[in-house]
């Protein structure tokens, strides 16, 4: 073999493609080793045969292809079915190029074959598994949305049901159409954060909009699905909170009513005292023409105040967030609890920072929390004592309200049970007070912590954000 022949031989046999050289009639002139491997024939078996690698049904197509190449047409790579010696077939990616003599006449063709059965199989498997995945998503009972760059790519059946919208209406729509317009900036920011994470994000609450325009509370958790998938998407799970919110509100309301009921004894007592003195004065008034009137007016004012507070608290209020003054809230709660404190021989001492800014809250709910915690503190001191209540402004960032009693305290094992529903040590207790307090404070993005030492007392700390 001379150098040139050697190079050609190497080229023919080192390449990973099957090579077959045929004349213009399709008669095989030469094949390489890879061709032998792919088809199972030896070189000697195929030389001189007409298109042995092409199944009979496709032979005409092959000859037509040769003709168009002779006519100078360009033929791109294509996929074709190829035959093996044992009669089985495989799919190959094929390139055919004409061979010309010195005068430019086509005298034959070179065919390159690459077995792509494996690649096909993997593609099909991927397609199948994607189909399976879509099916699982579609039938998942939780509403799920796939979206990318703010556009909706897929919604499942549960999602269509929740929003009252068909899948067709969803696809291609902007996700922001389903939120409050004012939330857009926050959502964009959040999506960017989630794209940096590898896991489902925590659930966050948002108001969402249904097809008919009604707004509802939902919580959403998303994951950025990008690994091993060509087309990365955001997958979000949406949960409707309407029912949960309703039952939570009902629980807060009923706890409030039972709280009021429990305080009624003290309040009735507080109303009876001034009434007794008023009655006495009225008797005297009959006899003399008197200056008891001022005292009577004061007593009447007091009755009026107590009854008013009682009524406002008992009335179901709408839960609106308002800018409120913590000073006022604390003062009115202490005044309201004075009768209960008297009953237990307890004094409430207050220490408030000079500069207490307004907070953004549902005032009625914050009052309910304070009443609950002060009432617990009062009731922890069977023999009377002092409650220290402090209100602090920490760097204009957080408001800290601290209630410290000198009562029986709570043992460590019970401390872990606090905040669980129905844990109570009182005969007329509901055991819902602290749980409701925690819910309310967390709903305000705040925190409630309890520290206690048995026979020394308990310290409850409420932390609320101060909005600027
Ligand atoms: P309730 O007051 O109806 O029992 P709570 O949820 O308010 O329900 O409180 C649950 C229990 O926690 C109380 O029964 C009591 O045993 C304990 N507890 C709460 N606050 C205090 C406190 N300041 N001192 C001692 N024990 C307390
Ligand atoms: Mg209580």
């Amino acid at each position: 073999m001379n150098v040139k022949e050697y190079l050609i031989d190497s080229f023919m046999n080192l390449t990973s493609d099957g090579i077959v050289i045929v004349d213009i009639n399709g008669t095989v002139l030469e094949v390489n080793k890879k061709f032998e491997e792919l088809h199972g024939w030896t070189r000697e078996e195929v030389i001189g045969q007409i298109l042995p690698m092409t199944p009979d049904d496709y032979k005409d197509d092959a000859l037509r292809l040769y003709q168009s190449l002779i006519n100078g047409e360009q033929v791109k790579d294509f996929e074709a079915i190829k035959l093996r010696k044992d009669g089985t077939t495989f799919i190959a990616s094929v390139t055919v190029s004409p061979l010309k003599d010195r005068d430019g006449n086509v005298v034959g063709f070179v065919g390159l074959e690459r077995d792509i059965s494996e690649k096909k199989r993997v593609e099909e498997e991927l397609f199948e598994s994607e189909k399976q995945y879509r099916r699982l998503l579609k039938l998942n009972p939780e509403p799920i949305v796939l979206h990318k760059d703010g556009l909706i790519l897929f919604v499942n059946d549960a999602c269509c049901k929740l929003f009252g919208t068909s899948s067709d209406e969803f696809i291609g729509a902007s996700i922001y159409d389903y939120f409050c317009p004012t939330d857009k900036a926050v959502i964009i920011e959040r999506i960017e954060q989630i794209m940096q994470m590898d896991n489902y994000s925590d659930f966050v609450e948002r108001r969402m909009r249904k097809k008919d325009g009604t707004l509802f509370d939902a919580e959403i958790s998303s994951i950025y699905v990008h690994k091993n998938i060509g087309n990365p998407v955001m997958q979000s799970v949406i949960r409707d909170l309407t029912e949960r919110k309703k039952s939570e509100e009902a629980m807060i309301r009923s706890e409030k009513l039972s709280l009021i009921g429990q305080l009624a004894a003290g309040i009735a007592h507080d109303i009876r005292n001034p009434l007794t003195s008023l009655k006495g004065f009225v008797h005297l008034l009959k006899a003399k023409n008197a200056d008891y009137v001022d005292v009577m007016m004061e007593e009447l004012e007091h009755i009026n105040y107590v009854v008013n507070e009682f009524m406002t608290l008992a009335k179901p209020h709408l839960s609106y967030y308002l800018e409120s003054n913590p000073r006022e809230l604390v003062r009115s709660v202490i005044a309201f609890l004075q009768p209960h404190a008297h009953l237990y021989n307890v004094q409430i001492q207050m220490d408030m920072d000079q500069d207490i800014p307004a907070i953004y809250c549902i005032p009625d709910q914050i009052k309910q929390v304070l009443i609950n915690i002060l009432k617990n503190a009062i009731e922890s001191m069977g023999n009377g004592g002092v409650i220290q209540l402090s209100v602090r402004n920490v760097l204009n960032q957080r408001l800290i309200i601290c209630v410290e009693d000198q009562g029986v305290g709570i043992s460590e094992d019970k401390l872990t049970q606090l905040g669980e529903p129905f844990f109570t040590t009182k005969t007329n207790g509901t055991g819902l007070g602290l749980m409701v307090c925690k819910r309310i404070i967390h709903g305000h993005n705040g925190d409630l912590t309890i520290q206690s030492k048995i026979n020394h007392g308990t310290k409850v700390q409420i932390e609320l954000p101060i909005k600027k």
Side-chain angles (χ1 to χ4, degrees), residues 167-181:
S167 174
D168 288 348
E169 285 173 274
F170 263 121
I171 288 170
S174 161
I175 54 169
Y176 305 110
D177 293 350
Y178 297 89
F179 289 100
C180 293

Side-chain angles (χ1 to χ4, degrees), residues 24-288:
I24 50 171
N25 302 314
T27 311
V28 175
L29 303 175
E30 187 61 88
V31 298
N32 71 346
K33 286 214 175 68
K34 185 72 191 178
F35 181 95
E36 292 179 309
E37 256 173 54
L38 282 176
H39 291 269
W41 282 298
T42 61
R43 178 173 171 272
E44 290 71 27
E45 281 174 320
V46 282
I47 285 184
Q49 304 280 342
I50 295 175
L51 296 176
M53 65 289 184
T54 306
D56 286 345
D57 289 352
Y58 298 100
K59 282 199 162 78
D60 286 348
D61 288 347
L63 291 172
R64 230 172 286 132
L65 178 83
Y66 292 160
Q67 198 51 55
S68 54
L69 282 167
I70 292 171
N71 295 341
E73 282 170 39
Q74 298 287 327
V75 176
K76 283 219 252 155
D77 299 7
F78 56 96
E79 284 177 12
I81 296 175
K82 293 286 154 190
L83 199 63
R84 295 197 188 92
K85 182 182 178 182
D86 63 10
T88 58
T89 55
F90 63 94
I91 298 176
S93 165
V94 178
T95 314
V96 183
S97 319
L99 289 172
K100 294 176 184 170
D101 65 12
R102 285 202 182 80
D103 303 327
N105 299 315
V106 177
V107 292
F109 304 93
V110 184
L112 295 176
E113 299 176 344
R114 179 167 297 168
D115 184 1
I116 55 169
S117 320
E118 183 60 16
K119 192 174 143 221
K120 279 269 166 197
R121 195 183 58 75
V122 172
E123 267 173 17
E124 255 161 44
E125 253 179 36
L126 210 74
F127 183 72
E128 260 316 302
S129 82
E130 186 169 316
K131 232 167 71 184
Q132 192 73 8
Y133 162 77
R134 293 236 165 195
R135 212 180 114 76
L136 284 176
L137 278 189
K138 186 171 153 59
L139 300 177
N140 194 307
E142 285 208 285
I144 296 173
V145 189
L146 300 186
H147 50 104
K148 194 185 180 201
D149 304 328
L151 295 181
I152 295 171
L153 305 175
F154 171 87
V155 288
N156 70 351
D157 296 355
C159 192
C160 293
K161 195 170 158 217
L162 174 60
F163 285 85
T165 306
S166 72
S167 174
D168 288 348
E169 285 173 274
F170 263 121
I171 288 170
S174 161
I175 54 169
Y176 305 110
D177 293 350
Y178 297 89
F179 289 100
C180 293
T182 45
D183 279 351
K184 186 169 175 178
V186 213
I187 296 169
I188 291 177
E189 195 180 316
R190 185 157 171 86
I191 287 181
E192 267 163 26
Q193 285 170 4
I194 293 168
M195 286 174 72
Q196 308 302 319
M197 311 193 309
D198 258 343
N199 229 321
Y200 262 109
S201 66
D202 291 337
F203 276 93
V204 284
E205 270 190 55
R206 295 247 182 277
R207 279 186 91 65
M208 297 199 78
R209 195 203 312 267
K210 294 193 184 184
K211 186 188 177 185
D212 62 10
T214 46
L215 293 172
F216 69 103
D217 287 307
E219 61 177 8
I220 305 166
S221 166
S222 305
I223 188 169
Y224 185 52
V225 189
H226 58 104
K227 285 215 173 126
N228 306 326
I229 290 187
N231 190 12
V233 291
M234 217 44 161
Q235 176 172 322
S236 299
V237 177
I238 302 168
R239 286 188 191 151
D240 186 3
L241 290 182
T242 316
E243 284 308 310
R244 203 199 295 173
K245 285 259 155 159
K246 263 193 209 151
S247 61
E248 210 159 272
E249 270 167 27
M251 189 186 65
I252 291 178
R253 258 202 314 276
S254 74
E255 163 61 12
K256 189 173 80 172
L257 289 176
S258 96
L259 198 66
I260 289 165
Q262 290 170 27
L263 291 169
I267 287 168
H269 181 259
D270 214 44
I271 292 174
R272 210 168 40 205
N273 279 352
L275 276 181
T276 317
S277 56
L278 280 174
K279 257 169 137 185
F281 288 133
V282 172
H283 270 290
L284 289 174
L285 203 62
K286 266 201 216 157
K288 296 180 182 182

Side-chain angles (χ1 to χ4, degrees), residues 255 258-259 262 372-373 375-381 403 405 407-410 414 418-420 422-426 428-437 450 452 457-460:
E255 163 61 12
S258 96
L259 198 66
Q262 290 170 27
N372 247 313
I373 285 164
K375 182 171 168 288
N376 281 346
I378 292 170
E379 289 165 359
S380 77
M381 294 187 280
V403 176
D405 64 53
V408 291
I410 308 162
K414 280 191 187 141
L418 287 191
E420 279 173 27
F422 312 121
F423 171 74
T424 181
T425 52
K426 301 170 192 169
N428 66 343
T430 60
L432 287 174
L434 285 174
M435 184 181 75
V436 167
C437 289
I450 305 172
S452 191
T458 304
K459 184 170 151 184
V460 180

Side-chain angles (χ1 to χ4, degrees), residues 448-467:
L448 186 151
T449 49
I450 305 172
Q451 289 169 350
S452 191
K453 211 169 166 194
I454 204 117
N455 292 328
H456 272 263
T458 304
K459 184 170 151 184
V460 180
Q461 186 166 302
I462 300 167
E463 203 180 310
L464 288 166
I466 294 174
K467 275 240 168 100

